[in-house]
Amino acid sequence: MSFSFSWYRRRHFFILSAAFSLWYCLSSHAHADSTPSSDISVSVFSTYPSDQLATSCNDISPLGACIEDGISPDLFINIIKEKGWFKAVMAFNEHYDYELLIAHMNTLSDKGRVVHFLEMTLLWRGMEINSTSVDTESHQDHDGKSSDSKEDIATRLLSRWYAKSDENHLFTTDFLYSALEASDYTRSLKVPQKLGDFTRFDTQLYPDPFKGAVTRYIHPTFEDALIDVTVYPLIAKASANRDTLLQQALHDDWKKASEVAHARGLNLSKDKPLTTFTANPRATGWRLAMKAESQTSDTIYATTYVFTQHDKIIKISTTFPTALSDPIARTLMETIEVPTPSPLMEQVRQLLN
């Protein structure tokens, strides 16, 4: 199958689809995989030690005399900020998706050394995804005082924790999806390598399991001709009407595109009305075709399709009119396979019902 774009040239590239505007976020996130936390912002809190941490401390203390917060949580937080490991750090404020809970204990061991324990618990939107403990020793001088400053000890503990986090890829999307038992798009999402003249460029996970994954297709000749295929879970009661949900997804795209068009001084209209679209006997969804016009640039087109498969929405977004995008949507829906419902979404839907 081949699609001709010889008549379809644009001098100005303008993004109408919401999926495209999010692609640039994904592109920057791809860089974050090599420096896992560089694009992550965290809220940080102090918390009580877990029973496991308390046991580890008490096991080496001859008198069971373990001290909580012998090093101030504020000192740990200040060091985390100074290290620059994260894009932003906010103390004692539930502002970000990621939250770090800090617990510290120390005791004097039977060998006359002060042993410090640090427990770092990582949450994402209130759900625990990891807990890591590290420890270090500090010697005492002849006056019974530690030979290391509290800042040195705290820095050593945090550096050991961060090294473990880096080793375990703690702040990557792959780890997040796995820890939450979200769908495994990397292994279970099947999309074709080619769609006519288009070639699959990449598949990226959104840094939010509820937004799923997006695959981009590019054209070898026309750089403005793009296809994005986004697959994400339905967040609704099992009894919800799927047609209503699909129409709402397209209405949301229309609203976002209208805001962008207005800001750019473009006149946005529906090239084709919102209507049902049958890709094959097993896949009937909805289609929205838009165009943006101005007196100073060529008309710009965008067409979006939405379908459901299993418990997922499949959104196909193109930067060209329906005459070219309809065959592509039909071809894709013949071959795409999406992950089955994940344990995470099964739990979410139980809460919704």
Side-chain angles (χ1 to χ4, degrees):
M1 181 178 59
S2 176
F3 308 104
S4 173
F5 283 82
S6 59
W7 61 273
Y8 179 67
R9 288 183 179 272
R10 297 197 308 270
R11 291 191 298 270
H12 303 282
F13 178 42
F14 175 71
I15 298 172
L16 291 177
S17 169
F20 293 150
S21 64
L22 290 170
W23 172 261
Y24 296 102
C25 296
L26 288 177
S27 298
S28 63
H29 179 72
H31 172 72
D33 283 341
S34 59
T35 53
S37 57
S38 61
D39 283 344
I40 299 293
S41 297
V42 296
S43 297
V44 188
F45 302 86
S46 63
T47 189
Y48 296 107
S50 67
D51 291 342
Q52 183 177 358
L53 185 69
T55 298
S56 297
C57 185
N58 289 325
D59 283 347
I60 68 166
S61 176
L63 301 176
C66 289
I67 301 170
E68 293 184 23
D69 294 333
I71 297 177
S72 166
D74 290 334
L75 180 56
F76 283 109
I77 294 170
N78 288 335
I79 293 171
I80 292 173
K81 290 179 178 179
E82 291 169 0
K83 286 291 186 180
W85 290 327
F86 302 98
K87 183 177 180 180
V89 177
M90 185 171 290
F92 308 107
N93 191 307
E94 296 177 350
H95 187 72
Y96 297 119
D97 288 341
Y98 281 94
E99 296 179 356
L100 275 173
L101 309 184
I102 300 173
H104 169 264
M105 300 187 81
N106 66 271
T107 189
L108 182 64
S109 72
D110 54 4
K111 297 180 180 180
R113 297 175 181 175
V114 180
V115 183
H116 293 264
F117 297 87
L118 177 68
E119 183 177 60
M120 300 287 279
T121 303
L122 181 63
L123 286 72
W124 187 85
R125 295 187 185 176
M127 296 176 279
E128 182 176 334
I129 59 175
N130 180 262
S131 183
T132 300
S133 297
V134 293
D135 60 78
T136 190
E137 291 184 352
S138 63
H139 297 280
Q140 290 184 308
D141 58 25
H142 61 277
D143 293 325
K145 297 180 179 179
S146 173
S147 58
D148 298 317
S149 69
K150 289 185 177 181
E151 183 174 357
D152 289 339
I153 296 167
T155 299
R156 196 156 63 238
L157 287 167
L158 286 170
S159 295
R160 290 182 179 180
W161 164 77
Y162 189 75
K164 281 190 175 184
S165 300
D166 191 31
E167 180 182 348
N168 295 323
H169 310 291
L170 206 61
F171 293 97
T172 62
T173 51
D174 285 335
F175 183 90
L176 177 63
Y177 279 55
S178 176
L180 293 176
E181 295 187 284
S183 290
D184 186 350
Y185 294 93
T186 303
R187 294 182 177 83
S188 301
L189 175 63
K190 308 298 182 184
V191 293
Q193 285 298 116
K194 293 186 71 67
L195 282 173
D197 295 334
F198 288 81
T199 302
R200 177 181 168 272
F201 174 70
D202 197 8
T203 297
Q204 293 267 347
L205 296 175
Y206 282 98
D208 179 345
F210 298 114
K211 293 182 179 178
V214 60
T215 301
R216 167 154 288 194
Y217 290 86
I218 58 175
H219 195 276
T221 305
F222 303 101
E223 63 178 16
D224 291 350
L226 302 170
I227 304 168
D228 275 1
V229 180
T230 310
V231 178
Y232 58 97
L234 282 160
I235 304 176
K237 295 181 179 180
S239 59
N241 184 285
R242 294 205 169 190
D243 281 332
T244 301
L245 295 172
L246 293 179
Q247 291 179 62
Q248 184 59 52
L250 291 180
H251 284 310
D252 291 344
D253 270 15
W254 171 259
K255 181 179 178 182
K256 293 174 184 177
S258 297
E259 293 171 353
V260 175
H262 178 74
R264 300 288 180 88
L266 297 170
N267 180 30
L268 183 69
S269 62
K270 293 179 180 177
D271 188 42
K272 298 282 180 65
L274 178 64
T275 184
T276 57
F277 181 85
T278 299
N280 60 60
R282 302 180 307 279
T284 296
W286 290 81
R287 182 187 70 188
L288 174 64
M290 299 177 279
K291 64 180 180 180
E293 300 171 292
S294 76
Q295 296 180 348
T296 58
S297 62
D298 297 337
T299 300
I300 301 161
Y301 296 88
T303 309
T304 304
Y305 307 78
V306 284
F307 303 89
T308 60
Q309 187 179 116
H310 300 315
D311 71 329
K312 305 293 190 297
I313 287 181
I314 301 170
K315 180 184 287 187
I316 307 166
S317 305
T318 75
T319 59
F320 35 88
T322 57
L324 294 170
S325 60
D326 283 358
I328 289 174
R330 292 190 178 99
T331 299
L332 179 75
M333 292 307 297
E334 284 287 348
T335 55
I336 189 170
E337 295 180 20
V338 307
T340 54
S342 67
L344 171 65
M345 291 311 303
E346 288 177 347
Q347 294 177 31
V348 169
R349 293 190 185 100
Q350 287 178 4
L351 296 174
L352 293 174
N353 289 330

